[in-house]
Amino acid sequence: MLCKIGFGAIKFRNIMDNKKTRKTIRTFALASFLNDLGSDMIYPIWPLFVVSVLGAPMVVLGFIDGLGEAIVSISQAASGYISDRIGKRKVFIWTGYLLGSLSRIGYAISSIWQHLIPFRILDRAGKIRGAPRDAIIADISTKENRGKNFGFLRAMDHLGAVCGIIICILFFRLLGYRNLFFLAAIPSTVAAFLVFYLIKEKKPVDVGIDERLFLKDLNRNFKLFLLLSSFFALGSFSYSFLLIYAKEFGFQIAFVPVLYLIFTAVASVLSLPFGKLSDKIGRKSVLMLSYILWGLVCLSFILIQSYLTIVLTFVLYGLHRGALEPVQKTFVSELSPVKYRASSLGGFQMVIGLCALPASLIAGMLWDKISIFMPFYFSLSLTILSIIMLIFVKER
């Protein structure tokens, strides 16, 4: 009798834990949907606003985009480390969404490209939410569903982006750049309040750890994956270059957001299937596929120039993003020490982001000084190197 009562209590507790897990995942997914809804109202027209409206050259566009990614990296590393130290996650998440909202208001009131820099920093500093949120998801997931959960979150990111792009396409001519930026600030504010009120934070076991995360605490596979991901990131310039390439080739400005919509929609549809696939066949195989897809994107822009090919290449780019983003985070969370999970995720994003600053800057210089094809040659070389190195990384 006592055994039955004990098993019943355990079963009831497991059911309640599963409900809390699902609620947490869904709340984060909805918040991500709303934030990307706001972000992607402006991202399709962002490079056009910087270059055409504010008159910045391509190297400046590359610098601003690269600077943004570098700030992302630093903010995620800092928030991941502090989150592990103080044992709190939620405050970084809702604050990050608010910072993103404020930055879009700043974009709307900018009159010269130099004004964009502080607001771009504010925007990307909002990514302090990333590592703590990912750590929560990794902690409440199991090896059997971790890829699926990260894939679901990324799918909702991209779905929000798709809806944001559609709003951009439908209302851009009516609202113009600046009013659209103001409108884009609203969804992220709602996302911040959702996280603030609906997420109930559970104090982690390893709260206030005294030890710092050192390189020696990471195993060989983590270090090798970090190194090859750095090489890959150094060649993975901003999507802005793909959109400007399409505009230079002859696509009308009004059609450029449609190209952005194409790759975002593909990534949205396939992020969850790729996450589930990684649960079945392993993270490394899906990551290898994502690198190959990016290599095909570069080859397509180099070798074949036609309107249809460019459209199909944006489909390939969406496949690459759908495979890379959820699986990369899942892989890092599993290669890292459990008690340093947020620090490891944040540190990984810091290194990748710091590589993104010279990546877009180098791409802009190669574009301006040599030819529009040189960034693709450079990226293709580093992609091949990354693929070779990934072969030697062992999964747990």
Side-chain angles (χ1 to χ4, degrees), residues 127-201:
K127 285 289 189 176
I128 57 173
R129 64 183 177 270
R133 183 198 63 186
D134 293 341
I136 291 177
I137 294 171
D139 287 341
I140 64 177
S141 302
T142 65
K143 186 172 177 60
E144 288 72 28
N145 65 15
R146 190 170 286 122
K148 183 185 79 170
N149 287 340
F150 275 110
F152 176 59
L153 186 72
R154 200 61 194 145
M156 290 298 287
D157 280 345
H158 287 305
L159 181 60
V162 168
C163 295
I165 299 162
I166 292 173
I167 291 173
C168 174
I169 293 170
L170 293 177
F171 293 99
F172 173 59
R173 290 184 181 274
L174 177 65
L175 298 176
Y177 289 100
R178 301 184 190 278
N179 288 331
L180 199 61
F181 289 167
F182 280 123
L183 180 64
I186 297 173
S188 292
T189 304
V190 177
F193 281 101
L194 279 176
V195 173
F196 185 82
Y197 286 108
L198 295 182
I199 296 296
K200 305 301 180 184
E201 188 167 27

Side-chain angles (χ1 to χ4, degrees), residues 76-261:
Q76 291 216 51
S79 65
Y81 173 72
I82 297 171
S83 175
D84 279 341
R85 292 281 291 179
I86 67 176
K88 294 184 182 296
R89 315 279 200 212
K90 192 173 86 167
V91 63
F92 298 97
I93 304 170
W94 64 263
T95 301
Y97 286 131
L98 280 183
L99 292 178
S101 179
L102 291 172
S103 69
R104 290 163 210 158
I105 297 173
Y107 294 152
I109 62 176
S110 297
S111 57
I112 57 175
W113 66 259
Q114 288 87 344
H115 291 165
L116 296 175
I117 295 176
F119 295 117
R120 188 64 170 174
I121 292 172
L122 185 68
D123 184 2
R124 308 320 285 165
K127 285 289 189 176
I128 57 173
R129 64 183 177 270
R133 183 198 63 186
D134 293 341
I136 291 177
I137 294 171
D139 287 341
I140 64 177
S141 302
T142 65
K143 186 172 177 60
E144 288 72 28
N145 65 15
R146 190 170 286 122
K148 183 185 79 170
N149 287 340
F150 275 110
F152 176 59
L153 186 72
R154 200 61 194 145
M156 290 298 287
D157 280 345
H158 287 305
L159 181 60
V162 168
C163 295
I165 299 162
I166 292 173
I167 291 173
C168 174
I169 293 170
L170 293 177
F171 293 99
F172 173 59
R173 290 184 181 274
L174 177 65
L175 298 176
Y177 289 100
R178 301 184 190 278
N179 288 331
L180 199 61
F181 289 167
F182 280 123
L183 180 64
I186 297 173
S188 292
T189 304
V190 177
F193 281 101
L194 279 176
V195 173
F196 185 82
Y197 286 108
L198 295 182
I199 296 296
K200 305 301 180 184
E201 188 167 27
K202 184 178 179 181
K203 198 172 185 181
V205 176
D206 292 311
V207 61
I209 54 175
D210 294 327
E211 306 92 345
R212 295 183 181 181
L213 176 64
F214 293 102
L215 196 60
K216 65 180 177 62
D217 297 316
L218 304 173
N219 63 39
R220 172 193 169 277
N221 291 304
F222 188 103
K223 295 173 186 175
L224 181 57
F225 185 61
L226 179 63
L227 181 61
L228 73 90
S229 298
S230 301
F231 287 133
F232 183 75
L234 194 60
S236 299
F237 44 79
S238 166
Y239 73 91
S240 297
F241 288 83
L242 305 183
L243 297 180
I244 295 296
Y245 179 98
K247 176 179 174 291
E248 293 293 321
F249 185 79
F251 282 92
Q252 297 296 316
I253 291 178
F255 192 76
V256 171
V258 177
L259 294 173
Y260 188 92
L261 173 62

